[in-house]
Amino acid sequence: MTTQMIILNGGSSSGKSGIVRCLQAVLPDPWLAFGCDAFIDAMPARMQASDEGIVFAADGEVNVGADFRELESAWMDGVAAMARAGARVIIDDVFLGGAVSQQRWQKALGGLAALWVGVRCESAVAAGRELARGDRVHGMAASQADVVHEGVFYDVEVDTTHTESLLCARTIAAHVS
Amino acid sequence: MTTQMIILNGGSSSGKSGIVRCLQAVLPDPWLAFGCDAFIDAMPARMQASDEGIVFAADGEVNVGADFRELESAWMDGVAAMARAGARVIIDDVFLGGAVSQQRWQKALGGLAALWVGVRCESAVAAGRELARGDRVHGMAASQADVVHEGVFYDVEVDTTHTESLLCARTIAAHVS
Amino acid sequence: MTTQMIILNGGSSSGKSGIVRCLQAVLPDPWLAFGCDAFIDAMPARMQASDEGIVFAADGEVNVGADFRELESAWMDGVAAMARAGARVIIDDVFLGGAVSQQRWQKALGGLAALWVGVRCESAVAAGRELARGDRVHGMAASQADVVHEGVFYDVEVDTTHTESLLCARTIAAHVS
Amino acid sequence: MTTQMIILNGGSSSGKSGIVRCLQAVLPDPWLAFGCDAFIDAMPARMQASDEGIVFAADGEVNVGADFRELESAWMDGVAAMARAGARVIIDDVFLGGAVSQQRWQKALGGLAALWVGVRCESAVAAGRELARGDRVHGMAASQADVVHEGVFYDVEVDTTHTESLLCARTIAAHVS
């Protein structure tokens, strides 16, 4: 069965975006890539610092509210519709709710052929990369490193702690049918 | 009938993005905003300079190929599905094909209640703003200023030549039901 | 006497950056452009939210501390040295201290031939543009619009309320000798 | 003797910027950071694609002209003046001319106490990271990886091929006096 969607899940600063760009480069067909960052950018600015929307606390904790969930649900349905309409789609997301987050995607995907990818990175290494990026609240990497994988199943897992993005992308691409 | 989508069309540097951010601020409900720029960013890098994808010529001319059209069609279907799933969606686009571009959106929208908005700006003023932005190929603003509106119908039109983004947004918001 | 530096002062969202890019385009010689934003980016991330560095309050108030002033003083000396070494330099700054801020620059400039430019914008219009930009704390434009000009003298003043960046740049360029 | 400047040299995508941000975080005093990217951004847009300025060829080759050299020389003098005025300054640069580029900095620095740092990365690894970044012309990393170090002397060298930015920064920080 031809893979219609690739869904990457990993904590902040685990290296998802770099892997996505490499995947787009190594996969022979053109794949569209969307991420939770782009979804957040699409929200009104006032929701990006509101209890109803999303709040990035100073310690790296992230909390989302009712409006966020409602829009996210519609966004997931729309992304699934793009795949059903023939676009190959890569998603990178942070499953703050672990297995519950994965179930949200499964509900939206219905019978679409999805490849589930876990992107791991040792907490201390991710925290160092967060410092090196300089554009993220310090503490997100460490607080998300493990919790986002709890109860989540994968078709393939990669670990960026000691493996470059391009090699991770090649491992994932080998599972795309 | 409740407005489900707002679609802004205008040439490069006509001021669409600023109006969109103001619309998100003045409209009481949360609206998601997506634009053709975000769609282009979602494509593989190699398509952003290829005849099959999209080419930005040095004189400001923009041409798109078959792969672009195929992915764009699926993207439009997906955006429409988001609106059908309950998200209010604002789109900003550049109708390079004028009426033909509008028909592409109409096909994707089906029976969704859309508000069509024309964003105009005098060619010379848009060209000056293109220079002031500094992040666009020089010539796009002038070459797109008029052609994108050919044969396109609107529910409301705004002109940023002498009117600020926030006032344009308020005019548009008054047409949202 | 040949102009060696152009120093623009104006509140947040008054349109300084756009004028600077237009100035670089219309002036026949190559001019380097540096701004207070670039200086802030050059500071350690921890100073960008510290009492010793710079604090952007939620209401748009901006306060700077001792470490900021010390580094800023050295930065001003360095920029003046670039001009003395033969580079033409455009600075855009926000004189939070009005006349006192101008005196800091005068001390660094020594005998350099500087053109002082005031960039004004009606408070309400600047606040609307701040909303349209979407990347600034709301309230900065209004709180800075007038105070930054208090006691400051200029060789030329422009007002972006009803005048495009490119026209403002041409007015300024006519004063460059 | 107290270190007044830290100068990092390495090819494109060797990891300089990440190390700089980590250095600013681990060094107890506040250090200002400037890079050749910021210098290029300060130039008029028209110089960023001109034989007199700087040209990024499609194959990753980079060439600079007479106007670039003239402004760069003044910029180096200005940066040195900042350090002389008391600011601690970190520079990240790409020594396209190897030893000749280092001599340009030495001339500007005069008697300032500088720490020279070589940032190495295996060519193939840097090329992969270039792909993962997605914002650089492909080929720059490979073409610059070795040539920028030719004839250059260092006080300390780090290699990001198998070492994280934060560890590299700690190694460098240990040499700062």
Side-chain angles (χ1 to χ4, degrees):
Chain A
M1 193 170 182
T2 306
T3 310
Q4 294 170 288
M5 283 189 65
I6 305 173
I7 302 179
L8 284 78
N9 172 44
S12 185
S13 291
S14 63
K16 297 182 298 297
S17 304
I19 293 175
V20 168
R21 278 186 286 264
C22 289
L23 264 175
Q24 289 186 296
V26 301
L27 289 167
D29 291 314
W31 286 71
L32 288 179
F34 299 99
C36 53
D37 286 353
F39 168 65
I40 292 169
D41 284 345
M43 300 190 318
R46 67 172 183 269
M47 280 186 64
Q48 296 175 31
S50 120
D51 287 345
E52 292 306 295
I54 185 164
V55 177
F56 297 89
D59 65 352
E61 194 77 31
V62 179
N63 286 294
V64 304
D67 285 354
F68 184 98
R69 285 289 173 227
E70 203 177 309
L71 291 177
E72 184 193 48
S73 171
W75 176 70
M76 288 172 165
D77 283 351
V79 168
M82 285 181 212
R84 246 171 246 123
R88 298 165 188 88
V89 178
I90 305 172
I91 292 292
D92 75 85
D93 201 356
V94 180
F95 288 2
L96 292 173
V100 174
S101 300
Q102 188 171 35
Q103 285 154 20
R104 284 196 193 98
W105 274 112
Q106 286 180 291
K107 195 182 147 208
L109 265 49
L112 284 168
L115 184 76
W116 297 93
V117 181
V119 180
R120 293 182 183 271
C121 181
E122 279 177 21
S123 178
V125 169
R129 291 178 189 171
E130 184 176 67
L131 205 60
R133 292 172 71 169
D135 62 348
R136 288 295 185 281
V137 178
H138 196 51
M140 281 174 67
S143 81
Q144 298 176 357
D146 295 320
V147 71
V148 301
H149 297 291
E150 277 174 20
V152 180
F153 68 84
Y154 297 114
D155 297 302
V156 52
E157 291 187 56
V158 293
D159 190 322
T160 66
T161 312
H162 301 294
T163 310
E164 294 290 316
S165 301
L166 181 53
L167 294 184
C168 293
R170 287 196 180 125
T171 299
I172 298 165
H175 287 75
V176 173
S177 54
Chain B
M1 193 171 182
T2 306
T3 310
Q4 295 170 288
M5 283 188 65
I6 304 172
I7 303 179
L8 284 78
N9 172 45
S12 185
S13 292
S14 62
K16 298 180 300 296
S17 304
I19 293 175
V20 168
R21 279 186 286 263
C22 289
L23 264 174
Q24 289 186 298
V26 301
L27 288 167
D29 292 313
W31 286 72
L32 289 179
F34 299 99
C36 54
D37 286 353
F39 167 65
I40 292 170
D41 283 346
M43 300 189 316
R46 67 172 183 270
M47 279 186 65
Q48 296 175 32
S50 116
D51 287 344
E52 291 307 294
I54 185 164
V55 177
F56 296 89
D59 66 352
E61 195 77 31
V62 180
N63 286 293
V64 305
D67 285 354
F68 183 98
R69 284 292 172 224
E70 203 177 309
L71 291 176
E72 184 194 46
S73 170
W75 175 70
M76 288 172 165
D77 283 350
V79 168
M82 285 181 210
R84 245 170 248 124
R88 296 165 190 89
V89 178
I90 306 172
I91 292 293
D92 75 85
D93 201 356
V94 180
F95 289 2
L96 292 173
V100 174
S101 300
Q102 187 171 35
Q103 286 155 19
R104 285 197 192 98
W105 274 112
Q106 286 179 290
K107 197 183 146 205
L109 265 48
L112 284 168
L115 184 76
W116 298 93
V117 182
V119 181
R120 293 182 183 271
C121 181
E122 279 178 21
S123 178
V125 169
R129 291 179 187 168
E130 182 177 69
L131 205 60
R133 294 171 71 166
D135 62 348
R136 287 296 183 279
V137 177
H138 195 51
M140 281 173 68
S143 81
Q144 297 176 358
D146 296 317
V147 71
V148 301
H149 297 291
E150 279 175 19
V152 179
F153 68 85
Y154 297 114
D155 296 303
V156 51
E157 292 186 56
V158 293
D159 189 322
T160 66
T161 311
H162 302 294
T163 310
E164 295 290 315
S165 301
L166 182 52
L167 293 185
C168 293
R170 286 194 182 128
T171 298
I172 298 165
H175 287 75
V176 173
S177 54
Chain C
M1 194 172 182
T2 305
T3 310
Q4 294 170 289
M5 282 188 66
I6 305 172
I7 303 179
L8 284 77
N9 172 46
S12 185
S13 292
S14 63
K16 298 181 298 297
S17 304
I19 293 175
V20 168
R21 278 187 286 263
C22 289
L23 265 174
Q24 289 186 298
V26 301
L27 289 167
D29 291 313
W31 286 72
L32 288 179
F34 300 99
C36 54
D37 285 353
F39 168 65
I40 291 170
D41 284 345
M43 300 190 316
R46 68 173 182 269
M47 279 186 66
Q48 296 175 31
S50 118
D51 286 345
E52 291 308 295
I54 185 164
V55 177
F56 296 88
D59 66 352
E61 195 77 32
V62 179
N63 285 294
V64 305
D67 285 354
F68 183 97
R69 284 290 172 227
E70 202 177 312
L71 291 177
E72 184 192 47
S73 171
W75 175 70
M76 287 171 165
D77 284 350
V79 168
M82 286 181 210
R84 246 171 247 123
R88 297 165 189 91
V89 179
I90 306 172
I91 293 292
D92 75 86
D93 201 356
V94 180
F95 288 3
L96 292 174
V100 174
S101 300
Q102 186 170 36
Q103 285 154 20
R104 284 196 192 98
W105 274 112
Q106 287 180 291
K107 197 183 147 208
L109 265 49
L112 283 168
L115 183 77
W116 298 92
V117 182
V119 180
R120 293 183 184 269
C121 182
E122 279 178 22
S123 178
V125 169
R129 291 179 188 169
E130 184 177 66
L131 205 61
R133 292 173 72 167
D135 61 349
R136 288 295 184 279
V137 178
H138 196 51
M140 281 173 66
S143 81
Q144 297 176 359
D146 295 318
V147 71
V148 301
H149 298 291
E150 278 174 19
V152 180
F153 68 84
Y154 298 114
D155 297 303
V156 52
E157 292 186 56
V158 292
D159 190 321
T160 67
T161 311
H162 300 293
T163 311
E164 295 289 315
S165 301
L166 181 53
L167 294 184
C168 292
R170 287 197 180 124
T171 298
I172 299 165
H175 288 75
V176 173
S177 54
Chain D
M1 193 171 183
T2 305
T3 310
Q4 295 169 287
M5 283 188 64
I6 305 173
I7 302 178
L8 283 78
N9 172 44
S12 184
S13 292
S14 63
K16 299 180 299 295
S17 303
I19 293 175
V20 168
R21 278 186 286 263
C22 289
L23 264 174
Q24 289 186 297
V26 301
L27 290 167
D29 291 313
W31 286 70
L32 289 179
F34 299 99
C36 54
D37 285 353
F39 167 64
I40 291 170
D41 283 346
M43 300 190 315
R46 66 173 184 269
M47 279 187 65
Q48 295 176 31
S50 117
D51 287 345
E52 290 308 294
I54 185 164
V55 177
F56 296 89
D59 66 352
E61 195 77 31
V62 179
N63 285 293
V64 305
D67 285 354
F68 183 98
R69 285 291 172 226
E70 203 177 310
L71 291 177
E72 185 193 47
S73 170
W75 176 70
M76 288 172 164
D77 284 350
V79 168
M82 286 181 210
R84 245 171 247 123
R88 297 165 190 88
V89 178
I90 306 173
I91 292 292
D92 76 86
D93 201 356
V94 180
F95 288 1
L96 292 173
V100 173
S101 300
Q102 188 170 36
Q103 285 155 20
R104 284 197 193 99
W105 274 111
Q106 286 180 291
K107 196 183 147 207
L109 265 48
L112 284 168
L115 184 77
W116 298 93
V117 182
V119 180
R120 293 182 184 271
C121 181
E122 279 178 22
S123 177
V125 169
R129 291 178 188 169
E130 183 176 69
L131 205 60
R133 293 171 72 167
D135 62 348
R136 287 295 184 281
V137 178
H138 196 51
M140 281 174 65
S143 82
Q144 297 176 358
D146 296 318
V147 71
V148 300
H149 298 291
E150 278 174 20
V152 179
F153 68 83
Y154 297 114
D155 297 303
V156 52
E157 293 186 55
V158 293
D159 190 323
T160 66
T161 312
H162 302 293
T163 311
E164 294 290 316
S165 301
L166 182 53
L167 294 184
C168 293
R170 286 196 181 125
T171 299
I172 298 165
H175 287 75
V176 173
S177 55

